[in-house]
Amino acid sequence: MEETYLLNVEGVKKKILHGGQGELPKLQDGSKFTFHFQTLKDDFERTVIDDSREAGMPMEIIVGKMFKLEIWETLLSSMRIGEVAEFWCDIIHTGMYALVSRGMRRIAEGRDPLEGQKHRCGMGNMFDYHSTGYDDLDELQRTPQPLIFIMELFRVEDPSAYKRDTWAMSKEEKLAAVPVLHSEGNRLVLRREFAQAAAKYQEAVICLRNLQAKEKPWEDGWLKLESLVTPLVLNYCQCQLELGEYYEVLEHTTELLQKHNDNAKAYFKRAKAHAAVWNEREAREDFQRVAHLDPSMAAAVKKEMKQLGERMRKKHVEDRKRYQGLFQSSQGL
């Protein structure tokens, strides 16, 4: 039986369409809602604007992570597991819906949700917002109006019950995750599972880069995080060398050396990548820098230089034979 009542929130009405089970979930910062939703206009036809079932995937919201449409967290907090409810929300709660919907639609289409946004300020941004790329959402932008949300809540998970994406972690959680990811990566390397190890190192780097973005470059906090980033990037590059992803190694070692031009290990890995793609001059230059910066690596450099010379001589012989064959074939025509 339908039940209509007001939540203790201005401009919101709730109607239960199907009762849920148990008590209201106990929420904490980081709890995750998983639900389906329908968004309708408050008109005679109850025009459907969005339907997550048609998009083919349920929606997820994490408590306390400043989802742009804040009222949704409030609505879901009033629901039990399995409940289906209809919420009428006044204009004060729906002003951001067009932008939120644009992002969700682009994700469902496999596109970047930030595609087309321009980093401008003031009046320029106001005009950017007038076009979402969807006619119905543009209309909502021009004529703000109450909306109806029909929601079905599937589950609520505690922060410890699911693997959170990096963006959803607190500063403390990111810092705690880094040594764990580093250790997991090392374990996978020992098992020669280099692709999986690279993914662990990369995830740890992302955690640290997110934290660095909130620090002033080259000051103490930033430098402490950078000291954790460097060995992870080097480990990642070693995995990419093992996987034959040489241009990936060139990109990341070069970026690292732009900040730390005295890092012998970065030069060594870049030299090996150059050698693998036949950049002989660049490889020799980097190997020489390694020997200069870290004399303890001289033996390793000597071995690599010898191997490089042998590979290049072999390549020159093969190239000469190939060109001779082509020349002879052209002469016979």
Side-chain angles (χ1 to χ4, degrees):
M1 189 173 185
E2 294 186 356
E3 178 184 357
T4 303
Y5 62 95
L6 289 172
L7 289 176
N8 190 25
V9 181
E10 181 185 358
V12 176
K13 297 177 184 178
K14 177 179 178 181
K15 182 188 296 182
I16 296 176
L17 306 180
H18 178 79
Q21 300 173 349
E23 301 296 321
L24 288 174
K26 294 181 180 179
L27 303 174
Q28 56 183 299
D29 208 38
S31 295
K32 181 168 74 172
F33 294 109
T34 302
F35 61 100
H36 268 306
F37 74 93
Q38 235 187 2
T39 304
L40 303 90
K41 288 185 177 181
D42 185 22
D43 56 14
F44 181 77
E45 295 84 7
R46 288 169 61 95
T47 305
V48 176
I49 300 171
D50 289 307
D51 188 333
S52 61
R53 284 188 174 81
E54 288 187 3
M57 60 173 138
M59 183 71 181
E60 294 179 347
I61 287 180
I62 295 176
V63 174
K65 295 303 173 184
M66 294 184 293
F67 180 62
K68 284 183 180 178
L69 204 63
E70 294 180 12
I71 192 62
W72 274 18
E73 189 175 311
T74 302
L75 305 182
L76 291 161
S77 299
S78 76
M79 299 178 68
R80 293 172 169 79
I81 304 300
E83 180 178 323
V84 181
E86 177 178 311
F87 299 92
W88 177 90
C89 295
D90 208 347
I91 296 173
I92 57 172
H93 302 297
T94 62
M96 292 293 291
Y97 184 77
L99 296 181
V100 171
S101 176
R102 176 182 64 180
M104 292 188 294
R105 290 183 186 186
R106 288 182 172 173
I107 290 171
E109 293 164 2
R111 298 163 59 193
D112 181 353
L114 300 179
E115 176 188 333
Q117 286 192 12
K118 300 178 182 177
H119 295 284
R120 304 196 306 197
C121 58
M123 206 58 100
N125 264 334
M126 289 178 64
F127 289 111
D128 281 341
Y129 286 149
H130 278 302
S131 180
T132 64
Y134 302 93
D135 291 342
D136 57 341
L137 299 183
D138 287 345
E139 182 191 346
L140 285 182
Q141 292 265 69
R142 288 191 296 268
T143 56
Q145 56 196 273
L147 294 174
I148 295 168
F149 303 114
I150 299 177
M151 295 177 163
E152 179 180 0
L153 181 61
F154 296 135
R155 60 181 175 272
V156 178
E157 297 169 273
D158 289 336
S160 59
Y162 66 94
K163 185 179 183 300
R164 278 194 278 177
D165 293 330
T166 301
W167 66 266
M169 294 181 183
S170 66
K171 177 180 178 180
E172 293 73 21
E173 288 169 333
K174 288 173 185 172
L175 285 172
V178 168
V180 175
L181 291 165
H182 197 159
S183 178
E184 289 176 353
N186 293 347
R187 178 177 55 80
L188 289 163
V189 165
L190 292 174
R191 290 162 50 180
R192 302 192 64 78
E193 297 178 16
F194 297 114
Q196 295 89 333
K200 295 294 182 182
Y201 295 137
Q202 186 177 43
E203 188 176 349
V205 169
I206 291 170
C207 285
L208 294 168
R209 292 295 190 211
N210 286 347
L211 294 172
Q212 270 190 316
K214 298 173 184 174
E215 301 286 345
K216 192 169 182 180
W218 303 107
E219 293 199 348
D220 286 347
W222 189 94
L223 289 170
K224 286 178 182 177
L225 294 168
E226 185 68 13
S227 70
L228 298 175
V229 167
T230 300
L232 289 163
V233 172
L234 292 172
N235 287 359
Y236 173 82
C237 288
Q238 183 60 41
C239 291
Q240 297 303 326
L241 280 174
E242 297 286 352
L243 293 166
E245 299 290 344
Y246 304 119
Y247 290 101
E248 182 85 357
V249 177
L250 292 175
E251 177 185 347
H252 288 284
T253 50
T254 298
E255 183 182 342
L256 186 62
L257 287 165
Q258 287 171 350
K259 298 176 185 174
H260 312 286
N261 62 5
D262 60 348
N263 192 302
K265 290 182 179 179
Y267 279 119
F268 188 76
K269 295 184 194 306
R270 189 171 75 171
K272 292 190 70 168
H274 275 309
V277 296
W278 308 106
N279 297 336
E280 182 181 12
R281 180 179 59 80
E282 292 87 347
R284 290 188 182 279
E285 288 176 355
D286 278 352
F287 280 134
Q288 288 166 1
R289 288 191 185 100
V290 173
H292 174 72
L293 288 167
D294 188 351
S296 70
M297 297 180 71
V301 168
K302 185 177 179 181
K303 178 182 175 183
E304 292 290 340
M305 293 276 271
K306 181 180 177 182
Q307 289 178 352
L308 174 61
E310 291 171 352
R311 288 181 67 241
M312 295 308 299
R313 279 191 293 273
K314 184 177 179 181
K315 181 176 185 293
H316 292 326
V317 170
E318 291 174 351
D319 288 347
R320 193 177 305 117
K321 288 180 179 178
R322 188 179 303 113
Y323 295 144
Q324 286 174 348
L326 289 171
F327 178 73
Q328 290 168 357
S329 297
S330 65
Q331 290 286 81
L333 293 176

